[in-house]
């Protein structure tokens, strides 16, 4: 029969499992970034994997990240050479897409600002009087709920007292019934 693990062993095993999980999460994030053709950086990987910066520079992890960065660098160099040989239509299309992306980003920012302004105006419309009325309503509700709670607590105490009384009566009835059964058994005894 084996002995149960000591607290130190349990703690060590838990830390090792946590370390393995974090390292696996980092490697998964690196592979996902490469697959999505996103730039692989130590800070980006640490942030995406929700781990410390120390871990991404640790032995075994750092090498994996550096290898992914080298692969991306070679891929970017190949893309640059391919871009030089790309048809003029593709270059124009790429430029148009970049302009569309820039325009869409600006529109998103403009819409975000409009929403912020609208929310600010709505908040400004609530005056101090409206807030005072709302505070009064909430205070009344609070007092009403406190009264209901107090009534419920009193009712619970009453019911607990009744229950205790009924339990005492039941115990007495059981005891009396036992005495009656015992007396009846003694009177009718074996014949």
């Amino acid at each position: 029969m084996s002995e149960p693990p000591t607290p130190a062993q349990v703690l060590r095993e838990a830390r090792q499992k946590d370390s393995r999980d974090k390292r696996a999460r980092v490697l998964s994030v690196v592979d996902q970034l490469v697959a999505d053709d996103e730039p692989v950086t130590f800070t980006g990987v640490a942030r995406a994997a929700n781990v410390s910066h120390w871990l991404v520079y640790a032995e075994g992890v750092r090498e994996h990240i550096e290898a992914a960065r080298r692969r991306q660098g070679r891929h970017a160099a190949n893309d640059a050479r391919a871009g030089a040989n790309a048809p003029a239509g593709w270059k124009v299309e790429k430029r148009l897409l970049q302009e569309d992306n820039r325009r869409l980003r600006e529109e998103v920012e403009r819409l975000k600002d409009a929403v912020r302004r609208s929310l600010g105006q709505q908040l400004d419309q609530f005056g101090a009087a409206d807030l005072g009325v709302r505070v009064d309503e909430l205070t009344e509700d609070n007092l009403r709920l406190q009264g209901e709670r107090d009534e419920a607590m009193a009712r619970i105490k009453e019911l607990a007292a009744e229950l205790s009384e009924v339990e005492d009566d039941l115990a007495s009835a059981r005891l009396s019934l036992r005495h009656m059964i015992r007396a009846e058994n003694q009177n009718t005894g074996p014949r």
Side-chain angles (χ1 to χ4, degrees):
M1 178 185 248
S2 65
E3 294 182 21
T6 65
Q9 290 170 331
V10 171
L11 182 59
R12 184 174 33 259
E13 289 170 4
R15 293 176 88 189
Q16 288 172 348
K17 181 186 179 306
D18 186 48
S19 177
R20 284 191 306 269
D21 292 346
K22 286 181 179 180
R23 287 173 181 261
R25 204 166 55 227
V26 167
L27 298 179
S28 173
V29 165
V30 170
D31 293 340
Q32 186 62 43
L33 289 173
V34 169
D36 293 344
D37 201 27
E38 294 288 327
V40 177
T41 63
F42 286 95
T43 301
V45 169
R47 194 172 295 139
N50 196 24
V51 297
S52 68
H53 283 81
W54 174 87
L55 181 61
V56 295
Y57 287 102
E59 186 177 344
V61 176
R62 179 185 65 240
E63 292 81 3
H64 193 75
I65 293 173
E66 288 174 345
R69 290 172 53 108
R70 282 192 300 273
R71 283 194 309 268
Q72 280 188 331
R74 285 192 302 266
H75 184 65
N78 290 340
D79 285 349
R81 283 192 297 270
N85 300 332
W90 288 3
K91 291 179 183 177
V92 171
E93 185 70 26
K94 181 179 177 182
R95 187 172 41 85
L96 290 174
L97 287 173
Q98 288 171 340
E99 289 175 10
D100 282 346
N101 284 343
R102 182 189 48 76
R103 182 183 50 78
L104 289 172
R105 275 193 224 94
E106 289 172 357
E107 185 175 348
V108 165
E109 285 303 316
R110 184 180 53 78
L111 291 173
K112 282 182 183 177
D113 288 341
V115 167
R116 282 189 203 108
R117 281 193 301 274
S118 174
L119 288 174
Q121 288 173 353
Q122 289 176 7
L123 287 174
D124 289 343
Q125 289 175 358
F126 288 114
D130 294 334
L131 293 177
V133 169
R134 182 68 180 141
V135 167
D136 292 341
E137 290 173 357
L138 292 173
T139 303
E140 288 174 17
D141 288 345
N142 189 22
L143 291 173
R144 180 182 50 80
L145 291 171
Q146 285 176 355
E148 290 175 7
R149 183 206 58 208
D150 293 342
E151 289 174 11
M153 294 300 290
R155 181 70 179 137
I156 288 172
K157 286 180 183 177
E158 290 173 12
L159 291 173
E162 287 178 25
L163 178 62
S164 177
E165 206 174 294
V166 168
E167 286 175 343
D168 290 343
D169 290 346
L170 179 61
S172 297
R174 285 182 178 158
L175 185 60
S176 177
L177 183 61
R178 281 191 198 120
H179 288 299
M180 286 174 51
I181 291 172
R182 192 173 299 131
E184 183 66 28
N185 287 340
Q186 287 174 355
N187 289 339
T188 59
R191 294 185 186 191

